Amino acid sequence: MSEAVAETVASRFSELYGAEPDGVWAAPGRVNLIGEHTDYNDGFVMPFALPHQAVAAVARRADGVLRLHSADVESGVSELRVDDLAPESDKNWTAYPAGVVWALREAGHAVTGADIHLASTVPSGAGLSSSAALEVVIALALNDLFSLGLRGWQLARLCQRAENVYVGAPVGIMDQTASACCEAGHALFLDTRDLSQRQIPFDLAAEGMRLLVVDTQVKHSHSEGEYGKRRAGCEKGAALLGVDALRDIPYDGLDEALARLGDEEEVRRLVRHVVTEDERVERVVSLLESGETRAIGPVLVEGHASLRDDFRISCPELDLVVDTALAAGALGARMTGGGFGGSAIVLAEEGDVDAITKAVTEAFAAADFTTPRVFEAVPSPGARRLR
């Protein structure tokens, strides 16, 4: 399958630019099993890579010209000069690949231009890291073509900087690290403070289970204000409590910390979510490593309640997925991603998948919501060169 995709993207590159690409690379989207809005609080996350991926055919240039084309956007080739790239100067899709070039150059890496053609199967706006996949595939390609010698976690850091500073979206480090570093058949237990990683085996099919992604089709954007407000609120909480980040509030010291916040009710809710969510990540890791995979279901449900009630980033569509799936026999379910739309995940016994999918689809129709997109999430490889 990857060979066919690489051939298609390389062929289109040749049509656009009149020459063969120097190579073809892929980087996946991700789904987060547990650990939401903890990454910018120096906490723990547990994503895994999806089979959906951004693919880039790229050729190196030495003349300072950056040419960009996407199979997924109805526009021609965009031409930029690398010397002219500046943060928040571009509000189009091209800001993501251009931002990576800017971040690499700002870090002292001599990237002198490129011709790029992109195609992606990661659903946009679904909370599955379509932007991170795009950034990471460009970073990996340029890392190879310009012999930069950067490792996956270093590329992730640069991609995060591109999105934070160049695009202007205050995202954490999880999405880019997941795309760059995940392994097939595993979930990535990531400490976002020091980027230490452990690959946790996660083979649901072998145990008779499936993990479904339900894309509500409600679009979101991290660069809009609500995500930024939550991040600012977390930073305020850390400052009021005298710690570097909410990661530093111990779970067994949460009640004391909340009492110290007094009448700062909104901040209290944010702090409570982050501290309890870090504990949920550690609990899921422990359960998976001890072979108690089904027992993670209730932990997912706890996480959704916290995101809905404390962080307040769910929406009626996400809540409907969770409530309907659980009523139809799911082992667990929760929203995933930044919130305000996007996707939910559902952990289910293999034999219950069809009934749960039918129940959710019918519930959306009854509520007059847009028909959701439902697919199985299979832990897949991280970013790699295809040819």
Side-chain angles (χ1 to χ4, degrees):
M1 189 66 168
S2 293
E3 291 180 7
V5 171
E7 181 59 37
T8 299
V9 174
S11 176
R12 181 64 176 130
F13 178 99
S14 298
E15 293 173 8
L16 288 164
Y17 298 116
E20 289 285 317
D22 293 331
V24 180
W25 291 260
R30 66 94 188 98
V31 67
N32 194 23
L33 183 62
I34 193 74
E36 220 64 78
H37 288 267
T38 50
D39 60 345
Y40 55 78
N41 289 291
D42 281 2
F44 304 124
V45 295
M46 200 173 186
F48 63 87
L50 291 168
H52 306 72
Q53 57 191 7
V55 180
V58 185
R60 173 175 169 158
R61 296 182 68 105
D63 59 359
V65 172
L66 177 65
R67 294 196 292 182
L68 303 166
H69 183 268
S70 170
D72 309 303
V73 179
E74 292 184 5
S75 64
V77 174
S78 297
E79 184 168 318
L80 306 168
R81 293 203 61 83
V82 297
D83 287 341
D84 296 335
L85 301 179
E88 298 196 56
S89 61
D90 185 350
K91 298 303 180 183
N92 300 308
W93 74 270
T94 50
Y96 294 94
V100 172
V101 174
W102 170 83
L104 286 166
R105 287 171 54 85
E106 188 207 33
H109 302 293
V111 176
T112 56
D115 289 337
I116 298 171
H117 169 62
L118 285 152
S120 179
T121 58
V122 184
S124 176
L128 303 174
S129 299
S130 57
S131 59
L134 191 157
E135 292 157 0
V136 170
V137 75
I138 298 301
L140 181 62
L142 297 176
N143 184 53
D144 287 353
L145 291 179
F146 289 91
S147 301
L148 304 181
L150 299 171
R151 299 174 63 185
W153 66 269
Q154 294 172 304
L155 295 177
R157 280 284 193 214
L158 288 165
C159 289
Q160 182 199 18
R161 179 160 178 76
E163 193 156 352
N164 287 170
V165 180
Y166 197 93
V167 177
V171 300
I173 191 63
M174 174 181 68
D175 296 352
Q176 292 84 1
T177 307
S179 186
C181 300
C182 278
E183 294 181 4
H186 293 76
L188 179 68
F189 177 36
L190 174 67
D191 182 335
T192 65
R193 170 162 282 171
D194 61 11
L195 295 191
S196 60
Q197 307 173 15
R198 276 165 52 201
Q199 301 287 344
I200 309 297
F202 191 56
D203 184 359
L204 293 177
E207 299 186 58
M209 287 176 284
R210 296 288 186 270
L211 190 77
L212 303 178
V213 174
V214 182
D215 176 4
T216 65
Q217 308 280 358
V218 178
K219 302 300 182 186
H220 70 168
S221 173
H222 282 171
S223 58
E224 292 177 359
E226 290 301 317
Y227 184 100
K229 288 179 184 176
R230 301 306 187 280
R231 182 164 186 165
C234 290
E235 291 169 353
K236 180 179 180 180
L240 289 171
L241 292 168
V243 295
D244 291 337
L246 294 184
R247 148 74 173 276
D248 297 313
I249 303 299
Y251 180 70
D252 60 7
L254 176 59
D255 289 343
E256 178 188 350
L258 295 178
R260 289 169 56 201
L261 290 171
D263 60 359
E264 293 278 357
E265 182 55 34
E266 183 176 354
V267 176
R268 283 163 55 90
R269 287 190 287 101
L270 299 179
V271 170
R272 183 165 52 228
H273 166 73
V274 172
V275 176
T276 59
E277 186 79 346
D278 272 336
E279 188 273 339
R280 281 186 285 271
V281 177
E282 293 186 291
R283 212 182 329 155
V284 167
V285 171
S286 179
L287 289 168
L288 291 178
E289 291 189 324
S290 62
E292 300 176 73
T293 305
R294 283 171 175 80
I296 74 172
V299 188
L300 303 184
V301 179
E302 286 178 32
H304 183 77
S306 183
L307 290 162
R308 180 192 64 210
D309 301 336
D310 276 343
F311 230 66
R312 299 187 182 182
I313 58 170
S314 189
C315 66
E317 291 85 351
L318 289 168
D319 292 340
L320 185 60
V321 174
V322 172
D323 293 343
T324 304
L326 293 173
L331 297 167
R334 74 170 189 91
M335 61 154 286
T336 188
F340 314 107
S343 298
I345 56 173
V346 178
L347 180 67
E349 301 285 0
E350 186 175 359
D352 293 336
V353 166
D354 290 345
I356 291 169
T357 301
K358 182 173 184 287
V360 169
T361 303
E362 289 177 350
F364 268 56
D368 201 27
F369 292 155
T370 301
T371 302
R373 179 185 180 211
V374 184
F375 60 91
E376 183 181 353
V378 179
S380 300
R384 63 208 185 280
R385 187 169 188 160
L386 299 181
R387 55 173 283 187

